[in-house]
């Protein structure tokens, strides 16, 4: 018998309707319809529709639980959250599944409750193996903690001669399973079905024969799969790459920001000594809630391989190590010998370039008389033609949490599962509730929501704007419509026409798209540095875009078109990995990775956040802005800041939002920005590329940047999920090349 895992859409939506109940710490504080009840003799008011467990949390009473989780549907499996309720049946009640009602009296610490919790714990431990000394979850196991707090000191199951054993499952390269430890809380099943949007997990059997698995022994094919590791309250699901590496009490915790996509997920970097051991999510309801994607979590082993740890100077066909003074002298000599002046000096910023270093590099090139600043995306030099002077033209204006308010969404040339997996979970949540219809123009993909595929090219965009087709007619009636333009549209040969067409449509319907509470015109960036680059003005002037560079400065740039590098140009590469940029460099300057520096990042919605250093840079590596400051001395144009605070004062002058941390400022002049798109998009000097169908911007989710391309875990993820070739007994996969 199959249960839970193979739910159809019609069956799933009623299940998720239970999530309309306010969740603790989120919508409770905003509701005005309150009820009053008594908890342990204390009167408390809570929003109508709250569960008893939420009411107890608001009252400051800790209720044990295994199956209940604020981000998942209610299951009521474990019965650990029992409380005594009056008026009511003369037996304990599961507080997670019982609504709070006016006049109730709830008791959480009576003899009845204590005895009931001890009994539940006795049942849970009856078949649980005594693996605590060798279990990866030891030290952070809910079952371990709650058995100490709420359990009995003895068991009555003396007649049990052997404990139940369950065969382990192969869920892929990320999740290690010891299913004998499973207590059937079904958190993993509910997450896979409700949040990740894959029906790979479910339950089979009943009673003592119940097992959680994937039915046909397949991997959990989701870019969010490893969140079930955090959700598992026991050691049944743990991290395969992290297995037996460290105990939690050995690790230092540093709150930071993920930079492997443009969402800016909040993370906790856990380190031991000079090594990053683990990355886990840090709850933030405004961005990533309690989730992170698998690349964010597991690409950290790429921080240890193929690193640049000392300056390198090219001699013939090889690099030789050098001191910092020697390398900087070569940079100065290279600029002089190249004969580059003005716009012949080019700066290219990559996806992992932080805001401080981009401001410093822009100041340096401007002092050298150059406006030739661009990003390493295809067509980065064409950015000014897309109305980049207005933030509303390149940001995710609806903001991440408000995605859930949209009733109709049109995706144009994007795959949110890979470009922004966290935003995709928001779309999934809204679709499951039954509030959302989604249309797609572009290459189809395996979506976690039901898509209406409208077309693949510019003609489909024009037909949609003209109101042709059923989806276009429904979209025209939407109260909160949302258009999401993929980052690759600006790289498409017909991207300018797409921007122009959609901008005209939004402008003509601005009473629905643009209101004081809503902005339904959003661009989804996929690189962590891109929004900040546009804020800073790291784009070329029209004259500079036409210049042929003789001196090129690559700032963490590894995804540029190699044909754009002239053979005789002198190339400086500043970065932390020996990726594509290093192959074309005459001098390599080793920078610090995102876990090794305290710098500023701006996510796709324009939210400024501060990343913090968890470990020190390896070898002779230095923070990027300090390297640019040293280079400025070597080329004779010394920048006027020696300390980070001075540089951030300069950032305030350039763009005040760069130092307003933790906020996503509302964009202004939206109407003027749309008019600029209409006026300029058709004049775009886009790269010569294929016209026609809009392709997905990311071919391999697990290999999108220098860090993930250097990661063994990501190579295995690519093999398992992108190439569908995962086998348990395969030899360790080699690192994938840049190509």
């Amino acid at each position: 018998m199959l249960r839970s895992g193979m739910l159809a859409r019609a069956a799933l939506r009623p299940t998720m309707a239970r999530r309309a109940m306010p969740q603790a710490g989120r919508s409770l504080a905003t509701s005005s319809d309150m009820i009053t009840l008594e908890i342990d003799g204390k009167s408390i008011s809570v929003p109508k529709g709250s569960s008893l467990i939420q009411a107890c949390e608001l009252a400051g009473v800790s209720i044990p639980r295994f199956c209940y989780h604020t981000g998942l549907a209610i299951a009521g499996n474990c019965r650990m959250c029992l409380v005594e309720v009056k008026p009511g049946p003369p037996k304990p009640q599961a507080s997670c599944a019982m609504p709070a009602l006016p006049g109730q009296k709830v008791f959480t610490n009576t003899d009845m409750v204590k005895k009931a919790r001890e009994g539940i714990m006795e049942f849970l431990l009856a078949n649980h193996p005594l693996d605590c000394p060798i279990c990866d979850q030891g030290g952070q196991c809910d079952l371990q903690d709650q058995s100490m707090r709420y359990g009995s000191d003895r068991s009555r199951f003396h007649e049990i001669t052997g404990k139940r054993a369950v065969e382990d499952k192969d869920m892929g390269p990320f999740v290690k399973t010891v299913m004998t430890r499973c207590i059937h809380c079904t958190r993993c099943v509910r997450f896979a079905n409700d949040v990740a949007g894959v029906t790979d997990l479910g339950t089979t059997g009943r009673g003592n024969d119940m097992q959680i698995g994937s039915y046909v022994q397949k991997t959990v094919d989701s870019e969010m799969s490893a969140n079930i590791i955090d959700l598992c309250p026991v050691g049944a699901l743990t991290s395969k790459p992290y297995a037996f590496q460290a105990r939690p009490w050995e690790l230092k915790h540093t709150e930071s920001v993920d930079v492997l996509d443009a969402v800016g997920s909040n993370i906790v970097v856990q380190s031991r000594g000079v090594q990053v051991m683990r990355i886990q999510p840090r709850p933030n309801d405004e961005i990533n809630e309690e989730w992170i994607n698998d690349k964010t979590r597991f690409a950290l082993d790429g921080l240890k391989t193929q690193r640049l740890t000392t300056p390198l100077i090219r001699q013939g066909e090889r690099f030789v190590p050098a001191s910092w003074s020697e390398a900087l002298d070569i940079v100065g000599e290279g600029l002089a010998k190249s004969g580059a002046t003005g716009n012949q000096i080019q700066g290219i910023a990559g996806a992992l370039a932080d805001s401080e270093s981009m401001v410093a590099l822009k100041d340096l090139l401007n002092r050298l008389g150059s406006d030739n600043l661009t990003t390493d995306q295809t067509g980065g030099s064409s950015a000014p033609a897309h109305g980049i002077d207005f933030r509303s033209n390149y940001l995710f204006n609806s903001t991440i949490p408000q995605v859930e308010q949209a009733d109709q969404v049109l995706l144009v040339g994007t795959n949110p599962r890979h470009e922004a997996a966290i935003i995709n979970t928001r779309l999934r949540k809204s679709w499951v509730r039954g509030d959302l219809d989604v249309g797609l123009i572009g290459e189809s993909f395996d979506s976690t929501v039901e898509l209406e595929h409208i077309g693949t090219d510019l003609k489909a965009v024009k037909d949609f704007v003209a109101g042709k087709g059923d989806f276009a007619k429904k979209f025209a009636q939407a109260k909160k419509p949302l258009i999401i333009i993929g980052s690759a549209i600006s790289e498409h040969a017909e991207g300018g026409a797409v921007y122009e067409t959609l901008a005209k449509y939004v402008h003509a319907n601005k009473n629905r798209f643009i209101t004081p509470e809503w902005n339904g015109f959003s661009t989804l960036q996929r690189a962590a540095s891109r929004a900040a680059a546009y804020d800073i003005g790291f784009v070329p002037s029209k004259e500079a875009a036409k210049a042929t560079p003789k001196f090129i400065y690559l700032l963490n740039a590894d995804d540029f078109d190699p044909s754009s590098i002239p053979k005789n140009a002198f190339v400086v590469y500043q970065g932390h990995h020996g990726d594509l940029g290093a192959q074309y460099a005459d001098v390599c300057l080793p920078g610090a990775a995102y876990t090794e520096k305290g710098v500023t990042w701006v996510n796709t919605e324009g939210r400024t956040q501060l990343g913090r250093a968890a470990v020190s840079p390896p070898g002779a590596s230095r923070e990027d802005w300090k390297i640019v400051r040293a280079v400025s001395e070597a080329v004779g144009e010394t920048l006027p800041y020696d300390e980070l605070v001075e540089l951030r004062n300069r950032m305030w002058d350039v763009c005040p939002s760069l130092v307003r941390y933790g906020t996503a400022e509302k964009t202004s002049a939206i109407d003027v920005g749309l008019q600029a798109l209409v006026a300029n998009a058709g004049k775009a000097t886009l790269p010569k590329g294929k016209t026609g169908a809009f392709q997905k911007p990311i071919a391999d989710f697990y290999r999108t940047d220098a860090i993930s391309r250097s990661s063994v875990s990501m190579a295995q993820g690519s093999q398992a999920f992108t190439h569908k070739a995962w086998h348990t007994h395969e030899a360790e996969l080699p690192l994938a090349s840049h190509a």
Side-chain angles (χ1 to χ4, degrees), residues 171-253:
M171 294 188 181
F174 300 143
V175 182
K176 175 187 174 185
T177 62
V178 185
M179 300 309 293
T180 300
R181 301 170 184 163
C182 179
I183 62 171
H184 301 154
C185 69
T186 69
R187 281 185 180 182
C188 56
V189 175
R190 284 175 283 147
F191 175 84
N193 285 273
D194 300 346
V195 181
V198 293
T199 56
D200 294 339
L201 285 179
T203 61
T204 57
R206 299 187 67 177
N208 202 50
D209 295 325
M210 180 176 171
Q211 293 188 33
I212 287 176
S214 56
Y215 310 121
V216 291
Q217 299 301 311
K218 69 185 294 292
T219 56
V220 181
D221 193 355
S222 170
E223 61 287 335
M224 300 290 291
S225 66
N227 287 288
I228 62 178
I229 295 170
D230 297 332
L231 288 171
C232 185
V234 293
L237 305 174
T238 54
S239 170
K240 190 173 288 187
Y242 177 71
F244 307 116
Q245 298 296 311
R247 287 296 193 182
W249 55 82
E250 300 177 298
L251 305 178
K252 181 185 77 171
H253 294 209

Side-chain angles (χ1 to χ4, degrees), residues 635-710:
V635 299
E637 289 289 347
T638 304
L639 293 173
Y641 28 78
D642 299 322
E643 301 293 338
L644 184 58
V645 64
E646 296 174 345
L647 175 55
R648 288 189 174 149
N649 287 337
R650 170 61 179 154
M651 292 166 62
W652 170 269
D653 295 336
V654 172
C655 180
S657 64
L658 287 176
V659 290
R660 291 174 180 159
Y661 296 104
T663 61
E665 295 188 3
K666 283 191 175 182
T667 52
S668 58
I670 299 169
D671 193 50
V672 180
L674 289 171
Q675 293 179 32
L677 278 179
V678 173
N680 295 330
K683 304 174 184 178
T685 310
L686 287 158
K688 293 181 180 179
K690 294 181 180 179
T691 58
F694 307 144
Q695 296 182 340
K696 292 182 292 187
I698 297 176
D700 189 345
F701 171 75
Y702 300 95
R703 296 168 60 244
T704 57
D705 54 84
I707 296 174
S708 61
R709 286 191 288 264
S710 299

Side-chain angles (χ1 to χ4, degrees), residues 267-597:
I267 58 175
V268 176
V269 181
Q270 300 181 2
S271 58
R272 182 176 61 189
V274 296
Q275 187 175 354
V276 176
M277 302 299 295
R278 183 166 61 171
I279 290 177
Q280 291 188 307
R282 176 163 59 100
N284 186 331
D285 289 338
E286 294 298 310
I287 304 176
N288 57 303
E289 297 181 288
E290 300 173 55
W291 324 121
I292 54 174
N293 66 58
D294 292 350
K295 182 166 56 179
T296 298
R297 188 186 299 268
F298 292 119
L300 61 91
D301 61 336
L303 296 169
K304 298 181 288 187
T305 57
Q306 209 170 325
R307 288 298 299 267
L308 297 177
T309 59
T310 187
L312 301 174
I313 299 173
R314 183 182 292 276
Q315 289 186 358
E317 295 298 321
R318 66 190 185 97
F319 284 107
V320 296
S323 65
W324 271 106
S325 58
E326 291 172 335
L328 294 172
D329 288 342
I330 293 295
V331 173
E333 293 172 8
L335 178 59
K337 290 180 180 179
S338 69
T341 58
N343 291 329
Q344 293 174 333
I345 304 171
Q346 185 181 49
I348 303 178
L352 301 180
D354 58 82
S355 304
E356 284 83 353
S357 61
M358 286 191 290
V359 168
L361 184 59
K362 183 177 188 294
D363 283 349
L364 174 58
L365 264 65
N366 289 163
R367 283 170 170 261
L368 293 170
S370 173
D371 287 324
N372 199 350
L373 301 147
T374 186
T375 57
D376 66 351
Q377 69 180 25
T378 303
S381 60
S382 66
H386 292 307
I388 226 68
D389 290 335
F390 301 92
R391 293 190 94 210
S392 58
N393 290 346
Y394 58 82
L395 292 181
F396 198 79
N397 298 305
S398 67
T399 72
I400 294 173
Q402 288 190 337
V403 165
E404 299 178 30
Q405 298 181 17
D407 50 0
Q408 300 279 338
V409 173
L410 174 67
L411 306 176
V412 183
T414 182
N415 175 4
R417 280 191 70 172
H418 290 171
E419 286 188 77
I422 297 298
I423 294 178
N424 188 69
T425 64
R426 302 271 190 173
L427 293 173
R428 167 76 182 176
K429 186 193 301 184
S430 183
W431 177 81
V432 164
R433 287 197 308 256
D435 302 337
L436 183 66
D437 291 303
V438 184
L440 171 67
I441 298 177
E443 184 180 354
S444 61
F445 60 93
D446 185 15
S447 176
T448 61
V449 302
E450 188 176 286
L451 291 175
E452 185 169 333
H453 196 200
I454 301 171
T456 61
D457 52 16
L458 177 60
K459 180 180 182 301
V461 175
K462 292 182 176 179
D463 288 345
F464 168 80
V465 168
K468 297 179 181 178
D470 293 338
F471 184 81
K473 293 174 182 176
K474 287 190 295 183
F475 199 87
Q477 304 301 317
K479 295 179 180 179
K480 287 190 174 182
L482 174 59
I483 295 177
I484 300 177
I485 303 175
S487 60
I489 291 298
S490 62
E491 304 165 19
H492 192 271
E494 296 174 334
V498 173
Y499 275 102
E500 181 178 12
T501 304
L502 292 176
K504 284 182 178 179
Y505 177 74
V506 172
H507 190 264
N509 296 274
K510 60 183 180 181
N511 59 324
R512 291 191 300 119
F513 277 93
I514 313 296
T515 68
E517 297 82 25
W518 180 251
N519 188 333
F521 184 70
S522 294
T523 297
L524 182 59
Q525 302 294 343
R526 69 176 186 271
S529 67
R530 201 69 76 229
Y534 294 155
D535 282 347
I536 293 164
F538 207 95
V539 291
S541 62
K542 292 182 179 179
E543 295 75 18
K546 300 174 183 177
T548 300
K550 294 182 179 180
F551 180 92
I552 301 175
Y553 200 103
L554 301 175
L555 178 63
N556 280 297
D558 293 294
D559 296 302
F560 55 87
D561 181 3
S563 64
S564 66
I565 307 294
K567 291 184 178 179
N568 297 325
F570 187 89
V571 180
V572 177
Y573 174 74
Q574 176 182 326
H576 40 74
H577 278 76
D579 207 72
L580 178 66
Q583 299 176 29
Y584 289 84
D586 294 288
V587 178
C588 293
L589 306 177
Y594 74 103
T595 56
E596 301 156 4
K597 55 187 177 182

Side-chain angles (χ1 to χ4, degrees), residues 47-121:
K48 186 178 181 180
S50 300
S51 64
L52 284 183
I53 195 170
Q54 293 170 336
C56 290
E57 287 176 351
L58 286 178
V61 179
S62 178
I63 302 294
R65 82 289 301 270
F66 291 116
C67 68
Y68 175 78
H69 189 277
T70 56
L72 303 176
I74 295 169
N77 291 339
C78 71
R79 320 306 287 180
M80 194 64 198
C81 63
L82 294 173
V83 296
E84 188 177 350
V85 183
K86 293 182 180 179
K91 62 179 182 178
Q93 305 295 311
S95 60
C96 69
M98 175 167 281
L101 299 174
Q104 279 180 328
K105 293 185 178 181
V106 181
F107 304 93
T108 67
N109 204 26
T110 63
D111 289 338
M112 178 193 292
V113 172
K114 289 180 181 179
K115 185 176 180 181
R117 290 174 181 171
E118 285 183 1
I120 294 297
M121 188 61 68

